[in-house]
Amino acid sequence: MKKLVKALVLILGTSICSSAMAAKPLQITEQGMFSAGGVVVKSEGKFDVSNYYTSRTGSTLHADHANVLFQIPQVAKGLPMMFLHGYGQSRMCWMMTPDGRDGWSNIFLKKGHGVFLVDQPRRGEAGQTSVAGTISTAPQDQTWYTQFRIGTYINDAFTYNDKSKFPRGEAALDQFFRQMTPDTGMDSANGSQSIDNVVVAKAVAAAVDKAYAKTGEKVVLVTHSQGGRPGWLVPMYTKNVAAIVAVEPGRAAEVNSDSYQELVAQKIPVIFYYGDYIGANFKNVPAASMWEKMRSTAYDFQKAYTAQGLKCDVLNLPDLGIYGNDHMLFQDTNNVEIADHLEAWLKKLK
């Protein structure tokens, strides 16, 4: 009991916890939030204090930063990990699962990693933007459900791909769709879905440096989907990335690009994870061929990278005997099994 008094013990329980890992309490010594990177924009003129509520002349705007929630374990056993979400997502996707089990942030925290959860610029709690966007309110749940290879929508009902590990039921679907969040700097109402990868990369790099200052350790950068593209750029702005874990990044860094050359220069180990339902043989999965083309860039990267004596693995979960995973594989019902595989890879880095 005295040991518990000396440490800050947070028990973040869930209503559905069946594994021993989920039942284990989170024991942390520190948690908090910070912002990193960004810009300060100033309007012309002199601020009118007599009209302070409506005056915008001579005013400043702090924007385009990353917002980071961090937790440091009581007993650190591995490198700190920074999680960068993908399109339509925030750090929430790493913290939860649609059916209430532990997300990867809790899983890796229990394994002894400090976790740093990023809301990238213009998303979530980092929504302050220097670029005006117009957010679309058009319904799009079915689009992303299909693109993420969970299933599709037929006869007014959501389907699941064969042997899918995605959490089942209406309640889980409701939780999944409600984790989607817009990009405040995106003109999605007018068809533009562009994201400034340099803005994101610079802010994440600043967050990496703050995590390094706090822990004294280089950071494992875990990216997902759209977050993969700025993820490749992050090492151009920091020397404190220990490794990159790219979870279905869409595409790899282009061979011989500036970002690729920086990865080579810093000799950063890289691992890719891809789920199931990718390839021409999945004729009933509309996004299967698209993902096959995007995955091919990872093989191009691996071939060039390993030819220079550097570490790069491209892992397809079905090749490991792990089936039924979609684009949100870290939220699927076997997310602990996949996390265990990644943990084994991380242990080889030290």
Side-chain angles (χ1 to χ4, degrees):
M1 183 61 72
K2 290 182 179 179
K3 291 182 179 180
L4 296 179
V5 173
K6 292 180 180 179
L8 172 61
V9 180
L10 296 184
I11 303 177
L12 304 181
T14 59
S15 58
I16 304 176
C17 295
S18 57
S19 69
M21 175 63 73
K24 182 179 179 181
L26 299 178
Q27 297 185 342
I28 66 175
T29 59
E30 184 183 4
Q31 73 172 6
M33 299 178 73
F34 61 81
S35 294
V39 299
V40 179
V41 179
K42 185 175 182 179
S43 59
E44 294 182 0
K46 184 177 181 179
F47 181 69
D48 180 7
V49 70
S50 66
N51 192 29
Y52 74 92
Y53 195 74
T54 58
S55 176
R56 297 295 181 266
T57 60
S59 295
T60 56
L61 173 71
H62 289 66
D64 300 346
H65 47 269
N67 182 273
V68 183
L69 168 67
F70 68 90
Q71 293 178 306
I72 307 298
Q74 183 179 356
V75 180
K77 298 178 182 178
L79 291 169
M81 302 174 71
M82 181 166 288
F83 294 88
L84 176 60
H85 58 80
Y87 180 86
Q89 300 287 310
S90 68
R91 61 167 157 259
M92 180 180 180
C93 69
W94 303 106
M95 300 173 71
M96 53 79 75
T97 62
D99 56 346
R101 292 168 295 107
D102 274 350
W104 265 18
S105 63
N106 279 7
I107 290 170
F108 282 100
L109 184 61
K110 289 174 180 179
K111 291 179 181 293
H113 297 270
V115 296
F116 293 79
L117 298 150
V118 177
D119 274 355
Q120 66 177 253
R122 304 169 184 171
R123 201 82 59 83
E125 292 188 81
Q128 192 79 296
T129 175
S130 66
V131 177
T134 305
I135 298 170
S136 173
T137 58
Q140 53 186 317
D141 290 346
Q142 285 76 3
T143 297
W144 297 111
Y145 188 87
T146 303
Q147 173 66 8
F148 291 170
R149 306 192 320 281
I150 300 168
T152 191
Y153 194 75
I154 301 174
N155 298 326
D156 297 325
F158 287 101
T159 67
Y160 297 88
N161 289 327
D162 185 42
K163 299 179 181 179
S164 170
K165 293 294 196 305
F166 191 81
R168 299 295 180 103
E170 290 296 324
L173 283 176
D174 184 73
Q175 289 295 304
F176 173 69
F177 289 128
R178 293 186 187 282
Q179 77 184 35
M180 298 289 287
T181 190
D183 189 298
T184 57
M186 183 183 291
D187 195 20
S188 57
N190 295 307
S192 173
Q193 295 180 340
S194 61
I195 293 172
D196 193 324
N197 292 323
V198 173
V199 166
V200 176
K202 287 182 176 180
V204 173
V208 166
D209 288 342
K210 286 197 172 188
Y212 176 79
K214 181 170 287 294
T215 65
E217 298 267 17
K218 289 189 175 184
V219 174
V220 176
L221 179 60
V222 184
T223 69
H224 178 234
S225 196
Q226 166 264 311
R229 294 204 177 193
W232 303 124
L233 303 178
V234 169
M236 297 179 67
Y237 307 105
T238 178
K239 304 298 184 184
N240 292 321
V241 174
I244 293 179
V245 179
V247 180
E248 296 210 356
R251 64 172 297 115
E254 187 175 351
V255 175
N256 294 325
S257 64
D258 289 345
S259 59
Y260 174 86
Q261 296 292 0
E262 188 60 36
L263 291 166
V264 170
Q266 295 191 39
K267 299 180 180 180
I268 296 174
V270 176
I271 187 169
F272 295 82
Y273 278 95
Y274 289 94
D276 215 332
Y277 317 116
I278 298 176
N281 54 313
F282 290 100
K283 301 184 184 302
N284 295 324
V285 180
S289 60
M290 178 189 300
W291 278 102
E292 184 174 34
K293 292 177 182 177
M294 292 189 286
R295 185 180 60 182
S296 68
T297 67
Y299 291 125
D300 294 339
F301 179 99
Q302 181 189 39
K303 181 179 179 180
Y305 211 64
T306 55
Q308 299 189 63
L310 301 174
K311 183 172 181 56
C312 177
D313 296 300
V314 180
L315 297 182
N316 297 289
L317 294 179
D319 294 341
L320 304 176
I322 302 174
Y323 298 96
N325 290 107
D326 47 77
H327 186 51
M328 307 297 292
L329 56 91
F330 46 86
Q331 292 191 341
D332 289 337
T333 55
N334 61 346
N335 66 342
V336 172
E337 181 181 9
I338 302 168
D340 287 344
H341 188 279
L342 174 54
E343 175 70 2
W345 187 85
L346 292 174
K347 284 182 176 179
K348 297 177 183 178
L349 296 181
K350 282 201 167 186

